[in-house]
Amino acid sequence: MKDYDVLVIGGGPIGLAAAAELANSNQQVLLIEQFDFINQKGSSAGSSRQFRVQYAQKYMSELALESIPFWEKLQKTTEDVLIDQVGSLWFGDPALSSQEGGIEAAMEVMEELHIPYQPLQGKEIESLFPFTNIPEDYSGFFQKDGGIIDFKATQKALLAICQSAVNVDLLAQTPVTNIQSLENGAIVVTANRQEYYTSKLVICPGAYVNDILKHFGLSINIDIWEMSSAYYRKTEDIKLPTWFVFQKPQDTSLFYGFPEVDWAHPGYIRVAPDIPDRIIQDPSQRSPYPSKKSLGFNETWVKDHMVGLDPSSEFTATCLITLSNNSKELLLDFLPDSVNNSKNIILYTGGWAAKFVPLLGKILSDLVIKGTTPYNISNFKIDYKNC
Ligand code: BEZ
């Protein structure tokens, strides 16, 4: 039986990014994924995500800026454009704050970090972008470094690095059935009736986190947002950046959207409610259908406020987003001291993390190999529970 320097559980984008970084550091790596690589069963479902550098928290903006060189490095490995830098538009009620931050707080952070942005008032937003009936008291900004991430191409690029690395073994369709972390420092992972030995473990299971933590007698509280989105047919030649609108009431009126892209439904534009269809605690509770209610809010927003789109939802889809239930932006930590070898076992599980994927790979690789990282992860500590 082969021994590995590092075993990575979870082959979503962050597990792939961690394995790619570990390969680069000459580690012998085994990456185990319970489904196929690049699947639609978790947080990475769908084809696009937003990249942005503005945040209401300075440490999050700093992390987003720090991720840029890692995106540039990954970009060099593929001909697909990973981030189309169309800019990021935030507008709406300026004082409102949501999971994604808030306009005023983000502007303060951008000032502090000297991130350039263009402040905008309601009517200016309508004159520059294809929106209509925007209330006069709405305001916002345009930040040029934001963009749209081709999320499938990102995962393909990371998978290609792992597939071509001689020191990475990849196992798909292989659920982990047991993990033993022994007093002598060995970690034994059982999957598909085989035992794999390692001394270091990176765990990136997304929504399936508690299926893995149970092997250590642990669990964590998470909220898994089931979310719907849809595409709308273009009826005019409109140009959009990525955008987010902050409005009240927040449980029916937060929306975000994208420009047209050639990698997903050309001729259509994706718009989505930033509202959970349902909040569940385990992926097995997932519904296979997009919520008619959420898509109804979405269609009304498109009909009333967007120019050049037919407001009938098409190509509808769902995804699961794993979030902390105590407002932490990301969940990233070593296992607690009660577990043998806890300082050799690092967990990443949740947050709106697509924009940080290649940087998170580096952070996880640093933490599991060296025990430290120069990046500020102090805000992402996990509250574990014994079970
Ligand atoms: C984000 O930028 O983090 C984000 C954008 C749209 C929906 C949810 C999150």
Side-chain angles (χ1 to χ4, degrees):
M1 186 51 59
K2 198 165 163 186
D3 278 5
Y4 290 93
D5 297 324
V6 187
L7 201 149
V8 181
I9 297 176
I14 293 170
L16 286 168
E21 279 295 337
L22 289 161
N24 203 25
S25 300
N26 295 322
Q27 304 290 303
Q28 287 293 329
V29 182
L30 174 64
L31 173 57
I32 301 186
E33 162 58 38
Q34 63 174 327
F35 306 119
D36 288 324
F37 290 107
I38 317 185
N39 65 60
Q40 295 292 306
K41 303 212 169 169
S43 311
S44 49
S47 52
S48 46
R49 292 290 185 277
Q50 295 199 356
F51 181 81
R52 62 174 160 117
V53 293
Q54 74 271 12
Y55 269 91
Q57 306 82 4
K58 189 175 163 207
Y59 58 87
M60 291 301 287
S61 274
E62 285 169 337
L63 213 57
L65 293 170
E66 284 162 342
S67 77
I68 293 173
F70 290 89
W71 280 107
E72 288 167 351
K73 189 171 145 209
L74 184 60
Q75 180 61 75
K76 291 203 177 100
T77 69
T78 172
E79 290 189 352
D80 291 325
V81 175
L82 299 181
I83 299 184
D84 189 0
Q85 205 182 328
V86 288
S88 168
L89 168 70
W90 274 16
F91 66 104
D93 179 340
L96 207 77
S97 128
S98 80
Q99 285 264 356
E100 283 63 52
I103 294 169
E104 279 175 356
M107 292 207 288
E108 278 168 32
V109 171
M110 287 192 287
E111 291 289 337
E112 207 181 332
L113 293 176
H114 308 293
I115 296 173
Y117 67 95
Q118 181 188 353
L120 298 167
Q121 295 307 316
K123 289 295 152 203
E124 275 178 292
I125 294 164
E126 285 189 9
S127 69
L128 292 170
F129 304 102
F131 294 99
T132 185
N133 299 320
I134 300 298
E136 298 258 353
D137 58 350
Y138 276 19
S139 61
F141 59 81
F142 177 76
Q143 204 297 318
K144 69 175 179 49
D145 302 303
I148 173 165
I149 303 173
D150 183 339
F151 209 37
K152 281 219 178 93
T154 299
Q155 293 173 79
K156 273 204 249 162
L158 291 165
L159 182 59
I161 294 173
C162 294
Q163 283 168 331
S164 63
V166 289
N167 50 338
V168 178
D169 289 341
L170 296 167
L171 284 178
Q173 292 286 352
T174 309
V176 166
T177 49
N178 196 27
I179 307 173
Q180 287 169 278
S181 187
L182 306 175
E183 278 179 21
N184 67 4
I187 301 170
V188 189
V189 174
T190 310
N192 205 11
R193 291 192 292 275
Q194 301 276 343
E195 288 187 338
Y196 300 95
Y197 288 79
T198 184
S199 52
K200 290 174 184 287
L201 195 57
V202 177
I203 308 176
C204 310
Y208 300 84
V209 58
N210 286 320
D211 291 348
I212 299 299
L213 284 181
K214 72 177 182 210
H215 299 299
F216 301 96
L218 299 171
S219 68
I220 61 173
N221 287 332
I222 45 164
D223 281 341
I224 304 173
W225 284 26
E226 282 191 274
M227 300 184 78
S228 297
S229 72
Y231 284 76
Y232 297 89
R233 191 173 55 80
K234 270 173 68 181
T235 55
E236 290 174 36
D237 185 22
I238 52 166
K239 297 265 175 295
L240 280 157
T242 57
W243 58 270
F244 197 102
V245 62
F246 296 80
Q247 344 179 71
K248 284 196 215 108
Q250 296 201 49
D251 56 348
T252 58
S253 315
L254 297 174
F255 302 97
Y256 63 100
F258 297 85
E260 182 186 10
V261 288
D262 56 11
W263 67 76
H265 309 302
Y268 289 77
I269 279 183
R270 183 170 168 228
V271 179
D274 189 33
I275 302 161
D277 296 349
R278 287 193 311 148
I279 298 179
I280 56 176
Q281 264 62 50
D282 189 273
S284 60
Q285 299 159 344
R286 174 182 202 169
S287 146
Y289 307 109
S291 147
K292 287 206 174 100
K293 197 166 149 204
S294 304
L295 292 180
F297 294 139
N298 216 39
E299 288 189 357
T300 305
W301 162 264
V302 172
K303 183 155 63 65
D304 294 348
H305 296 288
M306 296 194 70
V307 174
L309 293 181
D310 174 345
S312 318
S313 300
E314 294 191 52
F315 310 112
T316 60
T318 59
C319 80
L320 296 181
I321 304 289
T322 310
L323 297 172
S324 87
N325 68 351
N326 56 9
S327 303
K328 291 199 177 164
E329 294 79 18
L330 303 174
L331 291 172
L332 198 179
D333 204 349
F334 290 102
L335 289 199
D337 292 342
S338 56
V339 173
N340 290 326
N341 313 314
S342 62
K343 293 293 169 270
N344 289 321
I345 308 178
I346 182 83
L347 170 68
Y348 170 81
T349 181
W352 302 109
K355 54 189 95 57
F356 303 112
V357 159
L359 172 61
L360 283 170
K362 172 69 175 154
I363 291 175
L364 290 166
S365 160
D366 278 353
L367 288 171
V368 84
I369 300 174
K370 302 182 216 152
T372 62
T373 175
Y375 301 97
N376 177 8
I377 54 160
S378 58
N379 298 289
F380 312 138
K381 291 202 180 320
I382 297 178
D383 297 322
Y384 294 99
K385 294 188 303 176
N386 292 316
C387 64

